[in-house]
Amino acid sequence: HVVAAVAAAAQAVVAQKSEQKLLYPIMIQGGPNNQYQQFLESMVLAKTLRRKIVLAPFLSWPGGGDRQRVHAFDATFDTDAVKKFVDVVSTKAMGEAGTTIVSAGGAKKPKHELRVVCGMAGIRGGWCATQATSTPLLTPAARQRCRTREKTWGSYARCLSDHDDRVLGAALWASMNGLYGQRALRKPRTLQAVRALRRAPAIRDKAASLRRTLFGDRPYLCAHVRRVENAQRCRDGGSVRAPQVSCPPVKAGYVATRRLAETLREASKAAGVTDVYVSRVALRQGPFRSEGVALLGFLRNGSISASASADVDVDNYIASLVEQELCERAAAFVGTADSTWTSLVAHQ
């Protein structure tokens, strides 16, 4: 009986050690590009905590012109590439959700959004069944506990997280510096994650086909000019003849389309290219839709071969990914400072 009890206890220990510890990215910060950034941060945390990351689906904006709102992970990113950085598991294989959600950076506290997150991924139990709240990783008590720990890469984040849940939820936004130190975005481990988060093969193929059609083997400059009329930006104050568009959120004043064209022309000259691609997705939005024609016209008047393809894809979600891939492969890139779309391409 004693031998049997010891054997059973040993088996229990082995089973406990072999049980997969998972991290589920709670991506509720905004649109698809914000969700991609959250997933990237979750990849780094999962690697740090020695957990597998769950390949959660993404949700596009309502009324965005997409065929569907829920998008599978492997239709967006290359699962095999992600595996080279961190172990992965599908939503079908993860089992029930956990009971703990940790947060870091400026992440929103998940509330009613959890119903959407659980519904679109088809997961149950844990924080899917209850109105769970998130627990900050960087609490004063945790900081004090970890203050004297050696700060080798990831050790501080591991120290902060003393949760033993099989499936740990993580709501992260702009968390890198807080968890891994200043200039974390430029550190080797982060750059490894960025390289691993490659777009899906079908997306890369579409981008390569478009690149060959528009430019052949010629180098080109790619531009993403974000134009949104909302509380973050200025109102459309121009006219059809002389459109004037959005301004930086912290500084009053409009940026004239002609001036924007001059900037792109100067950038193309500095890069030594004569072809410019302007993101179609950015130029289709709201009151600034007519800016695309004016911007391309100004560029072409200055002996620049400017393009903005109408044939990327009828689905805005796919078109945005294809154009990001196109911009990543460009000889030079001009973007919008406070755009996550831009920051993802620039990081790559």
Side-chain angles (χ1 to χ4, degrees), residues 164-230:
D164 198 42
D165 302 55
R166 187 184 70 84
V167 181
L168 179 67
L172 309 176
W173 181 251
S175 65
M176 299 295 290
N177 286 351
L179 294 178
Y180 311 104
Q182 293 300 311
R183 295 181 292 280
L185 292 176
R186 300 180 183 180
K187 291 183 177 178
R189 181 64 63 88
T190 309
L191 296 179
Q192 287 174 14
V194 170
R195 286 191 289 270
L197 193 61
R198 299 187 67 194
R199 295 172 195 87
I203 300 296
R204 300 202 302 269
D205 289 345
K206 280 179 177 286
S209 176
L210 181 60
R211 188 168 60 248
R212 287 191 299 269
T213 299
L214 293 175
F215 308 116
D217 295 328
R218 300 189 307 277
Y220 59 94
L221 178 142
C222 195
H224 175 257
V225 187
R226 188 181 182 199
R227 293 293 183 248
V228 180
E229 183 183 29
N230 58 23

Side-chain angles (χ1 to χ4, degrees), residues 25-39 41 57-62 66 69-71 106-110 112-113 116-117 120 170-174 226 230 232 317 338-341 344:
I26 307 292
M27 301 178 291
I28 58 171
Q29 202 66 29
N33 294 298
N34 289 23
Q35 293 165 45
Y36 306 156
Q37 180 64 42
Q38 288 180 280
F39 188 86
E41 294 182 40
F58 301 101
L59 186 68
S60 57
W61 290 112
D66 303 325
R69 288 200 61 203
V70 178
H71 304 271
K108 290 171 57 178
K109 291 184 178 180
H112 65 276
E113 297 97 340
V116 177
V117 168
M120 60 192 273
L172 309 176
W173 181 251
R226 188 181 182 199
N230 58 23
Q232 192 178 19
Y317 183 85
D338 61 337
S339 164
T340 314
W341 198 107
L344 287 165

Side-chain angles (χ1 to χ4, degrees), residues 12-348:
V13 170
V14 171
Q16 186 176 7
K17 286 184 177 179
S18 62
E19 184 182 42
Q20 295 180 345
K21 293 291 182 70
L22 312 178
L23 185 139
Y24 191 96
I26 307 292
M27 301 178 291
I28 58 171
Q29 202 66 29
N33 294 298
N34 289 23
Q35 293 165 45
Y36 306 156
Q37 180 64 42
Q38 288 180 280
F39 188 86
L40 178 65
E41 294 182 40
S42 297
M43 283 174 61
V44 179
L45 184 61
K47 179 86 168 180
T48 301
L49 300 183
R50 303 184 176 96
R51 290 175 175 264
K52 292 187 175 184
I53 191 166
V54 181
L55 301 178
F58 301 101
L59 186 68
S60 57
W61 290 112
D66 303 325
R67 297 187 188 95
Q68 60 194 52
R69 288 200 61 203
V70 178
H71 304 271
F73 183 89
D74 60 5
T76 304
F77 292 108
D78 187 335
T79 300
D80 289 335
V82 174
K83 285 179 183 177
K84 293 178 180 178
F85 178 78
V86 63
D87 291 333
V88 305
V89 66
S90 68
T91 53
K92 290 182 179 179
M94 69 169 273
E96 290 196 347
T99 58
T100 303
I101 297 174
V102 295
S103 62
K108 290 171 57 178
K109 291 184 178 180
K111 294 180 181 177
H112 65 276
E113 297 97 340
L114 287 176
R115 290 199 300 271
V116 177
V117 168
C118 296
M120 60 192 273
I123 54 178
R124 302 176 182 277
W127 29 259
C128 290
T130 61
Q131 194 73 340
T133 57
S134 59
T135 303
L137 278 175
L138 293 164
T139 62
R143 288 177 186 272
Q144 181 63 26
R145 182 182 72 242
C146 302
R147 184 173 58 85
T148 59
R149 295 290 182 92
E150 185 182 358
K151 299 300 187 296
T152 54
W153 175 259
S155 63
Y156 185 62
R158 280 195 296 273
C159 176
L160 291 170
S161 178
D162 58 355
H163 304 284
D164 198 42
D165 302 55
R166 187 184 70 84
V167 181
L168 179 67
L172 309 176
W173 181 251
S175 65
M176 299 295 290
N177 286 351
L179 294 178
Y180 311 104
Q182 293 300 311
R183 295 181 292 280
L185 292 176
R186 300 180 183 180
K187 291 183 177 178
R189 181 64 63 88
T190 309
L191 296 179
Q192 287 174 14
V194 170
R195 286 191 289 270
L197 193 61
R198 299 187 67 194
R199 295 172 195 87
I203 300 296
R204 300 202 302 269
D205 289 345
K206 280 179 177 286
S209 176
L210 181 60
R211 188 168 60 248
R212 287 191 299 269
T213 299
L214 293 175
F215 308 116
D217 295 328
R218 300 189 307 277
Y220 59 94
L221 178 142
C222 195
H224 175 257
V225 187
R226 188 181 182 199
R227 293 293 183 248
V228 180
E229 183 183 29
N230 58 23
Q232 192 178 19
R233 296 180 173 271
C234 300
R235 293 185 175 277
D236 180 14
S239 65
V240 175
R241 290 187 60 188
Q244 297 210 346
V245 290
S246 65
C247 65
V250 296
K251 183 178 179 182
Y254 292 108
V255 178
T257 309
R258 186 183 296 276
R259 176 57 187 151
L260 183 57
E262 291 172 359
T263 300
L264 294 179
R265 196 177 297 117
E266 291 168 4
S268 65
K269 183 178 179 181
V273 301
T274 57
D275 290 291
V276 174
Y277 183 86
V278 180
S279 164
R280 181 200 75 161
V281 170
L283 294 178
R284 290 185 64 191
Q285 298 168 340
F288 307 114
R289 193 170 301 171
S290 62
E291 183 196 15
V293 176
L295 179 59
L296 295 175
F298 286 140
L299 286 170
R300 288 165 183 159
N301 287 341
S303 301
I304 292 290
S305 176
S307 305
S309 177
D311 302 320
V312 181
D313 199 285
V314 295
D315 187 301
N316 262 1
Y317 183 85
I318 299 299
S320 179
L321 288 164
V322 170
E323 291 192 321
Q324 284 183 345
E325 183 72 18
L326 199 67
C327 285
E328 181 190 340
R329 302 293 175 180
F333 174 60
V334 175
T336 306
D338 61 337
S339 164
T340 314
W341 198 107
T342 285
S343 66
L344 287 165
V345 173
H347 208 172
Q348 291 161 332

